[in-house]
């Protein structure tokens, strides 16, 4: 009875949010077919309209304002611990086996496996980063070290690559399994030496930087990258300024997170002193479907690791997320940013000297 009372209260945050929370309170295993077809591809036009238009935009704006003013939701580590520190073994059940990428892959065809698609993605981003031996490279929000692994395979240089990460479980995994240099730190508060890094990249970190911090974060990266270097960002964002009602369920999965709009990201990049050298749009749908299928295949092990309710939560999350991208309410991006700043006289002389040699 109590979960029905909660549902009535939570429906004011949207039907999708209330339905998701309702499912997560079940102590029995949800039917994955029903979850997928009711959330990822709902057939009812009435339900689609209601989910996309209620609550109205003005109420979402007011609600998000007070939500992010609440002190407990101003702690980034709350969302990180809630999500990424859940269980490394649990994530292994549905992520690709080679890299453990927890972001969208590049499927070139429907017949490709998740592993092949993530290899495609790794190659694409590696081409954008263009890593060289002895270059100082920083991975901001390095996850389980997936892209670090790819870069080291190219440069054969593990000494000059560093990862920043706020998840204790992920940091321990990288240290134990890969042996790379990784620092347990908040990306907003980490130590960024000035004009130090040749390349900086982030994969899935900008989703965790809230609107009010975006400029400060990008300015930190601008000050840390060498004038001759560049930055690569791989992330998804909102299409508009106001989160669609369906996106509100993410507050259950990532407490304290706040997405920015596509236009806001572009403005912040340019205001921070960067020139946009590359931008491409990608697709998250097939990756989410692959994760959903893998999780269902490993249902028993997943429940053993995290319990029925957490298993149900991720089923619902993947299915609802699929719809957000299917209706193009969220956009997947890759940017290459080059700093617009003066090269120092010392660097000019070094460059001139190297050309003479």
């Amino acid at each position: 009875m109590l979960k029905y009372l909660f549902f009535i209260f939570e429906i004011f945050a949207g039907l999708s949010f209330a339905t998701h929370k309702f499912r997560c309170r079940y102590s029995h295993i949800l039917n994955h077919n029903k979850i997928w077809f009711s959330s990822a591809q709902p057939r009812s036009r009435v339900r689609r309209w209601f989910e996309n238009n209620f609550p109205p935009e003005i109420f979402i704006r007011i609600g998000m304002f007070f939500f992010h003013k609440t002190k407990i939701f101003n702690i980034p580590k709350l969302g990180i611990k809630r999500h990424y520190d859940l269980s490394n073994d649990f994530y292994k059940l549905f992520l690709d086996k080679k890299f453990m990428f927890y972001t969208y892959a590049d499927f070139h065809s429907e017949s490709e496996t998740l592993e092949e698609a993530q290899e495609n993605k790794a190659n694409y981003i590696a081409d954008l980063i263009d890593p060289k031996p002895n270059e100082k490279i920083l991975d901001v929000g390095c996850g389980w070290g997936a892209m670090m692994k790819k870069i080291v395979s190219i440069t054969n240089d593990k000494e000059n690559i560093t990862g920043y990460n706020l998840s204790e479980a992920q940091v321990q995994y990288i240290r134990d399994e890969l042996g790379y240099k990784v620092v347990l730190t908040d990306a907003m508060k980490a130590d960024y030496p000035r004009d130090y890094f040749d390349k900086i990249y982030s994969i899935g970190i900008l989703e965790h930087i809230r609107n009010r911090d975006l400029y400060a974060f990008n300015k930190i990266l601008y000050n840390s990258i060498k004038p001759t270097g560049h930055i690569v960002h791989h992330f998804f964002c909102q299409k508009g300024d106001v989160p669609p009602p369906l996106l509100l369920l993410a507050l259950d999965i990532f407490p304290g997170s706040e997405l920015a709009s596509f236009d806001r990201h572009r403005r912040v990049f340019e205001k921070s002193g960067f020139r946009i050298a590359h931008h491409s749009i990608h697709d998250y749908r097939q990756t989410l479907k692959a994760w959903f299928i893998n999780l269902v295949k490993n249902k028993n092990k997943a429940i053993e690791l995290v319990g029925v309710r957490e298993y149900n939560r991720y089923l619902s999350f993947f299915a609802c997320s699929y719809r957000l991208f299917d209706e193009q309410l969220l956009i997947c991006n890759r940017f290459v940013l080059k700093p617009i700043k003066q090269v120092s006289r010392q660097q000019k002389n070094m460059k001139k000297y190297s050309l003479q040699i």
Side-chain angles (χ1 to χ4, degrees):
M1 178 61 70
L2 190 59
K3 64 184 178 184
Y4 291 99
L5 293 175
F6 277 123
F7 179 81
I8 294 171
F9 174 76
E10 289 163 349
I11 201 169
F12 289 99
L15 180 60
S16 298
F17 178 83
T19 302
H20 170 78
K21 294 290 287 184
F22 185 79
R23 290 168 177 164
C24 296
R25 294 190 183 97
Y26 273 114
S27 57
H28 64 268
I29 302 170
L30 296 176
N31 183 303
H32 60 272
N33 286 320
K34 290 182 179 179
I35 293 294
W36 185 260
F37 287 108
S38 65
S39 297
Q41 299 168 324
R43 299 172 182 174
S44 168
R45 291 184 180 180
V46 174
R47 175 172 180 146
R48 278 181 180 271
W49 183 91
F50 196 81
E51 288 182 331
N52 290 337
N53 293 278
F54 183 83
E57 181 178 307
I58 184 63
F59 290 106
I60 295 177
R61 287 182 180 272
I62 294 171
M64 295 301 291
F65 174 80
F66 286 105
F67 181 84
H68 290 293
K69 284 292 183 181
T70 306
K71 186 175 181 180
I72 188 171
F73 294 109
N74 286 330
I75 306 173
K77 196 167 184 178
L78 177 69
I80 297 297
K81 290 192 70 65
R82 170 70 177 272
H83 198 87
Y84 295 100
D85 285 351
L86 181 62
S87 166
N88 287 339
D89 290 335
F90 171 69
Y91 286 104
K92 287 179 181 179
L93 298 177
F94 59 85
L95 299 181
D96 66 287
K97 304 304 180 187
K98 180 176 180 179
F99 292 107
M100 282 187 73
F101 269 121
Y102 195 24
T103 57
Y104 55 90
D106 290 349
F107 283 89
H108 295 164
S109 70
E110 292 188 2
S111 62
E112 281 190 323
T113 65
L114 178 61
E115 281 68 28
E116 290 171 330
Q118 292 292 18
E119 183 77 56
N120 295 338
K121 185 263 290 292
N123 290 334
Y124 191 113
I125 297 179
D127 286 343
L128 296 181
I129 297 171
D130 190 25
K132 299 291 191 299
N134 300 317
E135 285 186 331
K136 302 295 184 184
I137 301 176
L138 175 65
D139 185 333
V140 187
C142 56
W144 286 279
M147 200 61 210
M148 297 177 77
K149 185 189 298 185
K150 179 65 177 180
I151 288 176
V152 171
S153 73
I154 295 171
T155 64
N156 197 30
D157 178 8
K158 63 189 297 184
E159 299 303 319
N160 287 302
I161 188 168
T162 303
Y164 287 170
N165 200 325
L166 189 53
S167 166
E168 295 178 6
Q170 290 181 332
V171 167
Q172 197 60 49
Y173 175 87
I174 294 172
R175 289 172 178 171
D176 293 344
E177 300 294 327
L178 304 178
Y180 299 158
K181 182 167 60 177
V182 59
V183 181
L184 180 64
T185 184
D186 184 338
M188 285 295 300
K189 302 175 181 177
D191 179 27
Y192 294 87
R194 193 174 187 89
D195 293 339
Y196 179 78
F197 292 104
D198 296 281
K199 312 286 172 60
I200 298 175
Y201 67 90
S202 76
I203 299 179
I205 187 64
L206 292 185
E207 295 91 334
H208 300 287
I209 306 295
R210 284 180 289 176
N211 288 354
R212 68 185 184 208
D213 297 325
L214 271 178
Y215 173 73
F217 178 68
N218 279 280
K219 200 63 184 177
I220 290 171
L221 299 186
Y222 174 86
N223 290 332
S224 189
I225 194 75
K226 291 180 179 178
T228 54
H230 65 264
I231 293 174
V232 177
H233 285 308
H234 163 112
F235 65 100
F236 64 84
C237 63
Q238 294 173 184
K239 186 175 183 179
D241 292 327
V242 181
L246 187 62
L247 185 59
L248 297 181
L249 67 88
L251 297 177
D252 176 62
I253 298 292
F254 295 104
S257 293
E258 179 188 23
L259 293 182
S261 69
F262 176 79
D263 287 340
R264 187 183 185 98
H265 278 290
R266 287 187 66 101
R267 291 196 303 269
V268 167
F269 292 154
E270 293 170 353
K271 183 181 177 183
S272 302
F274 292 106
R275 174 177 64 84
I276 298 173
H278 167 92
H279 172 245
S280 53
I281 295 177
H282 303 266
D283 194 346
Y284 215 137
R285 291 174 299 176
Q286 205 163 340
T287 306
L288 288 163
K289 190 172 183 178
W291 290 344
F292 186 92
I293 292 171
N294 285 346
L295 184 57
V296 172
K297 286 180 179 178
N298 293 282
K299 173 179 62 179
N300 293 335
K301 184 62 177 178
I303 292 171
E304 178 185 328
L305 288 169
V306 299
V308 172
R309 293 184 179 181
E310 208 64 53
Y311 169 80
N312 290 343
R313 173 179 278 110
Y314 275 76
L315 279 186
S316 177
F317 173 59
F318 291 153
C320 291
S321 296
Y322 179 96
R323 179 156 160 230
L324 281 164
F325 291 100
D326 192 47
E327 297 189 359
Q328 298 181 354
L329 298 171
L330 297 180
I331 306 171
C332 298
N333 306 280
R334 286 176 197 149
F335 279 90
V336 176
L337 308 176
K338 293 192 175 181
I340 305 173
K341 53 184 174 180
Q342 294 294 320
V343 179
S344 69
R345 181 176 298 177
Q346 180 183 6
Q347 288 172 318
K348 286 181 179 179
N349 292 337
M350 290 176 65
K351 186 176 181 181
K352 183 178 179 181
Y353 179 72
S354 65
L355 288 174
Q356 291 174 344
I357 290 176

